[in-house]
Amino acid sequence: MTTLRLPRMLSEAANTELRHDVTGTTVAEALGSLFEAKPGLRNHILDDGGAVRPHVSVFVDGVQSDLGTAVVDSSEIRILHAVSGG
């Protein structure tokens, strides 16, 4: 299984764990696996059109990636949210 890690802010907002085991051969499929188990996360990561939100970054094994990026069982997907303030 692929490991997917969420930022603490997002895991707390969705009342879920920081680490999830997901399945799929692409980032999109892995996220789909996550959303089946935790549907409340979808709106935090994807927009209404199914694209990654502009303030969200996805990394696979340390490399910035997109929904079509391939993953394998040993991959680690990290979801990061931009943080801003004034």
Side-chain angles (χ1 to χ4, degrees), residues 10-83:
L10 180 54
S11 72
E12 289 175 358
N15 195 29
T16 190
E17 301 80 25
L18 291 169
R19 182 184 175 280
H20 296 268
D21 291 326
V22 294
T23 59
T25 59
T26 64
V27 170
E29 290 177 3
L31 286 174
S33 171
L34 175 68
F35 301 150
E36 283 180 24
K38 303 290 183 180
L41 286 170
R42 187 181 199 294
N43 286 337
H44 292 282
I45 298 172
L46 302 180
D47 64 20
D48 291 338
V52 175
R53 290 190 175 278
H55 63 278
V56 174
S57 294
V58 178
F59 290 83
V60 175
D61 299 327
V63 177
Q64 192 160 13
S65 303
D66 59 30
L67 294 174
T69 300
V71 296
V72 296
D73 283 347
S74 62
S75 293
E76 180 180 81
I77 301 170
R78 286 191 178 260
I79 306 295
L80 300 177
H81 269 229
V83 178

